[in-house]
Amino acid sequence: MNESAWRIGKNIPWVVPWSEEEAFAVRESPIFPGLLELTQAERPGVGQPAPAGMNIMRQRLGVIEHRCHVCGEVTPANDRFLFPVVTGAFLKIPGGARYVSHLPPTHTACADLAQRLCPHLKSRYAKPVRFPHDNGFVSPERSAPENLRHVAERIALPGLVYGYYRVFGEGFTRLVRRLRHDQEPIRDGGG
Ligand SMILES: [Zn+2]
């Protein structure tokens, strides 16, 4: 596809990084006092998209402001969805484990598009789930995502913040565990 055929929010998600955004710097985190974080150039739509990753500036904005990862607009509380069965992970924290995710949410209309555009979401288990009332809290991600490993190696700053991720509450964590359990393929008992 030539670059003029790309339409952000229509056939390419808003969070996706572009080839002209391969410029990085380090700043003090505006959210986490005392921590340094990586910044990335923001020129969405310029050059070629790299759908496997996320521009870290848009990724953080998406997580903090509940912006839709497909179209970039703020999702209202009653139209905000996640794909927790096939994305995110469980993280041990004091007192238990919580579901965590670095993926921004989507609108319900955009969830449909996300499933068609994202290889990760093509799985038949990828059903959108309503975002919980309990927003949990946001934490700094200090390990570099796959598409930024080369930058991390060059900068070599231990403790540098890359993206942000959201730590969900106990109720949503239980729900995700149950949904994942329900999606386990039923094994043939054989004999
Ligand atoms: Zn949207």
Side-chain angles (χ1 to χ4, degrees):
M1 199 180 288
N2 69 46
E3 77 184 61
S4 62
W6 294 112
R7 296 283 180 272
I8 293 169
K10 301 293 183 212
N11 60 8
I12 191 80
W14 169 75
V15 285
V16 163
W18 291 72
S19 53
E20 294 303 310
E21 296 182 319
E22 278 283 311
F24 301 89
V26 172
R27 69 173 179 193
E28 281 188 32
S29 172
I31 305 287
F32 302 105
L35 297 185
L36 292 176
E37 63 184 27
L38 191 70
T39 62
Q40 181 170 7
E42 295 175 85
R43 297 183 199 101
V46 185
Q48 286 299 311
M54 293 193 267
N55 174 295
I56 50 172
M57 309 308 281
R58 293 193 287 280
Q59 186 271 335
R60 293 171 188 160
L61 206 59
V63 166
I64 289 175
E65 297 184 353
H66 302 303
R67 283 181 184 273
C68 173
H69 82 251
V70 173
C71 73
E73 297 298 321
V74 173
T75 56
N78 64 357
D79 186 12
R80 184 180 296 155
F81 291 82
L82 292 168
F83 294 92
V85 176
V86 292
T87 63
F90 294 96
L91 179 74
K92 275 188 184 150
I93 63 165
R98 294 287 182 80
Y99 172 72
V100 301
S101 179
H102 62 289
L103 264 195
T106 67
H107 295 102
T108 183
C110 294
D112 196 49
L113 189 65
Q115 282 176 300
R116 277 184 282 130
L117 298 181
C118 303
H120 210 109
L121 301 179
K122 281 191 176 139
S123 153
R124 61 201 176 97
Y125 302 127
K127 299 224 169 59
V129 174
R130 193 173 284 281
F131 198 96
H133 291 296
D134 175 1
N135 279 333
F137 59 93
V138 174
S139 260
E141 174 64 62
R142 299 186 203 214
S143 55
E146 195 59 41
N147 67 315
L148 294 178
R149 290 275 157 78
H150 63 293
V151 181
E153 281 165 20
R154 200 174 71 230
I155 294 180
L157 259 180
L160 186 64
V161 174
Y162 294 91
Y164 299 161
Y165 62 91
R166 187 169 290 278
V167 181
F168 288 88
E170 289 177 25
F172 194 67
T173 297
R174 274 196 302 274
L175 173 66
V176 176
R177 275 199 197 287
R178 185 166 57 73
L179 291 172
R180 288 190 178 200
H181 183 74
D182 290 349
Q183 306 291 9
E184 292 278 320
I186 296 168
R187 287 174 192 276
D188 185 352

